Amino acid sequence: MRKHSQELWLVLMVSLGASAIYSVLSLARKLTSTQGLAGSVTTINQPLAKTPWLDLVSQLASISLALVPVLLALYFLRMDKIKIGLMPVKRDWIIGISLPLIIGIPGIALYVVALNLGLTSRIVPSSLGDYWWTPVVLVLAALRSGLQEEIIAVAFFAKKLKIIRPEITIISVVVLSSLFRASYHLYQGFSAFLGNFVMGLVFGYLFMRTGRVAPLVIAHTIMNTAVFIGFPLVAGFL
């Protein structure tokens, strides 16, 4: 007999659940360091090797391996005969392109305010070298985050939770999913926790209403791509 609770915990702990634990520990280190949270710097996309070609191979390997838990989650959902609307249709693209304007711009404003108040770490989206492949890797990294977070933290989390606890309300599922999303962003600071919690509420609600994860993946990928690639253009103003 299958144990859905075990499947949920296993997928989480080999992916974003483990990230949540490391995120809390990272925040604790920043808070107890001599420079404090306000004086800390968090780099999201870092070089993995000094040699350019080896760095490229390492980046691609890291992105690919991070998607294995996503495949595991999709495998379990297929065994449950549950569809999550991963393949985008026209309406998904419309929603996916619109969401970054609703979520992304206020999120950046929240970060700037929190940074000035000393409530967050200074975020450096990328410290990769200026190579021909850098934009490609950053787009792939953005897509990886979109697939990993929206499929695991929203679709898989919500569907498995409903199987495990059929009586649970939609509001409870959305709130729990949002708290989980916020937890693995704590390494960035308190504004990231709040911003991602609000983002989780919006994304979770949309998924529970539509049953489609595609627009969330599209929106997440667009937002991360804009931040990763556009950061050098605005870094001097932050």
Side-chain angles (χ1 to χ4, degrees):
M1 179 181 293
R2 291 176 58 195
K3 300 286 188 179
H4 293 286
S5 59
Q6 291 180 4
E7 292 178 5
L8 174 59
W9 279 107
L10 284 172
V11 170
L12 294 186
M13 295 312 295
V14 297
S15 59
L16 299 174
S19 297
I21 294 173
Y22 286 124
S23 186
V24 172
L25 293 174
S26 177
L27 177 63
R29 288 194 296 269
K30 289 182 175 72
L31 290 171
T32 56
S33 65
T34 55
Q35 71 269 23
L37 179 61
S40 65
V41 177
T42 301
T43 304
I44 298 177
N45 296 287
Q46 305 181 53
L48 299 177
K50 294 182 179 180
T51 306
W53 72 265
L54 186 56
D55 190 14
L56 171 59
V57 173
S58 299
Q59 296 290 342
L60 293 177
S62 177
I63 291 170
S64 300
L65 291 173
L67 292 176
V68 174
V70 174
L71 296 177
L72 182 59
L74 292 173
Y75 172 75
F76 284 139
L77 289 173
R78 187 174 66 179
M79 290 182 65
D80 296 326
K81 294 181 171 54
I82 293 176
K83 296 182 179 180
I84 59 173
L86 179 58
M87 299 305 295
V89 296
K90 182 178 179 181
R91 180 176 174 80
D92 294 332
W93 286 102
I94 295 174
I95 297 174
I97 293 173
S98 302
L99 279 175
L101 298 177
I102 301 172
I103 299 294
I105 294 177
I108 293 174
L110 175 62
Y111 164 71
V112 173
V113 171
L115 186 63
N116 290 327
L117 293 176
L119 298 176
T120 191
S121 170
R122 180 174 293 276
I123 307 300
V124 177
S126 173
S127 62
L128 299 181
D130 188 17
Y131 308 117
W132 66 266
W133 49 261
T134 300
V136 177
V137 166
L138 291 176
V139 171
L140 290 176
L143 177 59
R144 174 208 60 208
S145 295
L147 290 169
Q148 189 179 43
E149 295 190 39
E150 305 313 326
I151 291 176
I152 294 178
V154 178
F156 181 75
F157 186 94
K159 292 299 185 180
K160 278 297 183 183
L161 205 54
K162 287 293 290 182
I163 293 176
I164 298 167
R165 293 284 185 270
E167 73 280 4
I168 195 170
T169 64
I170 291 178
I171 294 177
S172 297
V173 172
V174 172
V175 170
L176 288 173
S177 172
S178 301
L179 286 172
F180 177 53
R181 180 195 294 268
S183 69
Y184 57 77
H185 285 95
L186 268 171
Y187 72 98
Q188 298 178 14
F190 297 113
S191 66
F193 180 90
L194 177 59
N196 279 279
F197 177 73
V198 174
M199 175 178 170
L201 293 177
V202 176
F203 279 30
Y205 175 77
L206 281 175
F207 176 75
M208 296 303 289
R209 282 294 302 271
T210 66
R212 299 194 59 79
V213 77
L216 311 184
V217 174
I218 293 169
H220 197 136
T221 302
I222 290 174
M223 286 189 288
N224 277 13
T225 298
V227 171
F228 292 169
I229 295 180
F231 173 74
L233 303 177
V234 299
F237 299 97
L238 299 178

